[in-house]
Structures are given as structure tokens and as C-alpha cells.
């Protein structure tokens, strides 16, 4: 019996090694939502997939449903997030944003708004225009948007920042005075939701 191959784009939120040469990935996909997928022999030197399947990579991936988990049959890296992956000052906040998504999203449920938000975040970071002093504000703003969208945070204090999906340095400068309160609200929302 032939297995259906699902073609989708996604972002690798994290991964763990399995056995001697395999790896298990958490991929937030455009078509399927959050999936757990394994790649066979990925840690071997001859693996063609190992370059595309790096944490925080945006990929086009082919998946086949296995008995217990998805299996990755092929993948290629997208031209998004390249600057982020090679800049530690941008990668650290992006990694924390990915960790937040992993905490909030459970199961294979398509979420176009969240997927687009993450894509917009990566594209804006790729521009490399965020001054270092505004990186914390950017991370807090993204967390606020995600928590509001997922229903964990009241939008009213941040209305003008969550009603758009765009980012700009000017927006981050305007958000900067709210950053400290936003961090308190983010932590409270996560604590109250037991996430």
C-alpha cells in the first residue's frame, strides 16, 4: 500500500537525537500544525538531509505518516531565517520565541495566523535592522502577539501593536516604554495557564 506524501513548509522548533544516528524533530508546519517527525540516519556524515534539518531552519519538507510518528522523506532549506541563524544576538531571542510556540501549541492543528506571525518575525529579523537595545522589546512584542492570538493574554493594553502583523524599528521604539510591563504580563499569563 502506497503512503500519501504531504508536502508543506515549516520551521524546525527543536530536535533531539534518537539512537545512534536518527533524530526526532518538532516542526511547526503550514499545512498540518505542529508535528513530531523522525529522520533516519540523519547524524551520519553521508546524510543529504542533515544540512536542511537544523534547528530554527525554515524548510520545505515531505512527510509520510508512520504508525506512531511522521517520517521525513525529503527536505530543503528555504531562504528565510538565514541571517538569524548566523547572528547569535538574533538567534537567541528567536530560539526563545520558538520555545514559546512549543509551550503553547499542542497537536496537529493548522494555525495560519501563528505560522504567518513566525514567518514575519523571521523575515524582519533577516533584515538585520533592529538596534541591539530594541531586541528585548522585539522579543516581548512577539510574545505578546502570540499570547493574545492564542487567547492567553488580554489585548487591550497592546491593541495598536497586536492589530497588525508588520514590524518596524519605529514600532519597537514606541513599544519600548511598555516592554517592562509586557514582560510581567507575559510571565503572569504563562504562570496562570500552567504552561
Amino acid at each position: 500500500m502506497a503512503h500519501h506524501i504531504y508536502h508543506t513548509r515549516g520551521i524546525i522548533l527543536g530536535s533531539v537525537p534518537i539512537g545512534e544516528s536518527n533524530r526526532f524533530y518538532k516542526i511547526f508546519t503550514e499545512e498540518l500544525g505542529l508535528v513530531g517527525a523522525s529522520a533516519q540516519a540523519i547524524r551520519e556524515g553521508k546524510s543529504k538531509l542533515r544540512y536542511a534539518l537544523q534547528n530554527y531552519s525554515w524548510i520545505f519538507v515531505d512527510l509520510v505518516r508512520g504508525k506512531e510518528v511522521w517520517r521525513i522523506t525529503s527536505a530543503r532549506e528555504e531562504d528565510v531565517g538565514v541571517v538569524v541563524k548566523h547572528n547569535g544576538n538574533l538567534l537567541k531571542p528567536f530560539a526563545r520565541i520558538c520555545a514559546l510556540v512549543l509551550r503553547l501549541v499542542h497537536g496537529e492543528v493548522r494555525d495560519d495566523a501563528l505560522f504567518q506571525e513566525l514567518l514575519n518575525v523571521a523575515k524582519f529579523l533577516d533584515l538585520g535592522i533592529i538596534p541591539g537595545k530594541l531586541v528585548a522589546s522585539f522579543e516581548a512584542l512577539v510574545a505578546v502577539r502570540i499570547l493574545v492570538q492564542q487567547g492567553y493574554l488580554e489585548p487591550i493594553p497592546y491593541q495598536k501593536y497586536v492589530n497588525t502583523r508588520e514590524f518596524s524599528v519605529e514600532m519597537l521604539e514606541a513599544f519600548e516604554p511598555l516592554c517592562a510591563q509586557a514582560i510581567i504580563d507575559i510571565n503572569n499569563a504563562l504562570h496562570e495557564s500552567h504552561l
Side-chain angles (χ1 to χ4, degrees):
M1 182 172 105
H3 294 284
H4 179 73
I5 299 174
Y6 292 83
H7 309 282
T8 186
R9 65 197 304 213
I11 177 162
I12 300 174
L13 299 179
S15 64
V16 293
I18 299 173
E20 290 184 22
S21 60
N22 301 338
R23 199 160 191 87
F24 182 77
Y25 295 88
K26 286 288 191 173
I27 307 172
F28 187 62
T29 69
E30 186 173 26
E31 303 294 326
L32 304 166
L34 183 65
V35 299
S38 66
Q40 304 297 314
I42 193 74
R43 293 162 48 209
E44 294 179 2
K46 63 184 178 182
S47 172
K48 295 177 184 175
L49 292 177
R50 67 188 170 124
Y51 298 107
L53 296 178
Q54 301 290 322
N55 287 346
Y56 318 119
S57 289
W58 288 88
I59 57 173
F60 292 100
V61 63
D62 292 341
L63 298 163
V64 172
R65 165 92 59 195
K67 286 184 179 179
E68 296 177 11
V69 297
W70 292 90
R71 286 185 300 114
I72 299 170
T73 59
S74 70
R76 66 180 170 85
E77 195 168 6
E78 203 176 336
D79 291 334
V80 178
V82 177
V83 171
V84 175
K85 284 176 51 178
H86 295 97
N87 182 330
N89 293 330
L90 299 178
L91 183 60
K92 287 177 186 174
F94 189 68
R96 286 190 292 267
I97 290 164
C98 290
L100 176 63
V101 171
L102 269 176
R103 285 177 75 174
L104 298 177
V105 177
H106 302 284
E108 297 172 16
V109 178
R110 183 176 177 149
D111 190 333
D112 292 331
L114 181 55
F115 188 86
Q116 190 59 52
E117 182 72 26
L118 285 175
L119 190 57
N120 290 345
V121 165
K123 287 180 177 179
F124 184 67
L125 286 173
D126 267 353
L127 297 175
I129 60 172
I130 302 177
K133 65 179 184 169
L134 293 178
V135 171
S137 290
F138 177 73
E139 184 179 348
L141 175 57
V142 173
V144 164
R145 284 185 180 180
I146 291 172
L147 287 166
V148 166
Q149 181 208 34
Q150 298 294 310
Y152 291 103
L153 187 64
E154 181 62 42
I156 292 170
Y158 309 104
Q159 204 71 51
K160 75 179 204 179
Y161 301 102
V162 299
N163 284 341
T164 178
R165 291 290 163 232
E166 302 304 315
F167 293 102
S168 68
V169 172
E170 294 75 25
M171 178 186 290
L172 297 179
E173 288 170 343
F175 184 77
E176 177 74 11
L178 300 174
C179 185
Q181 184 59 50
I183 291 170
I184 292 169
D185 292 344
I186 290 163
N187 289 331
N188 286 341
L190 292 172
H191 178 75
E192 289 171 13
S193 61
H194 305 290
L195 292 171

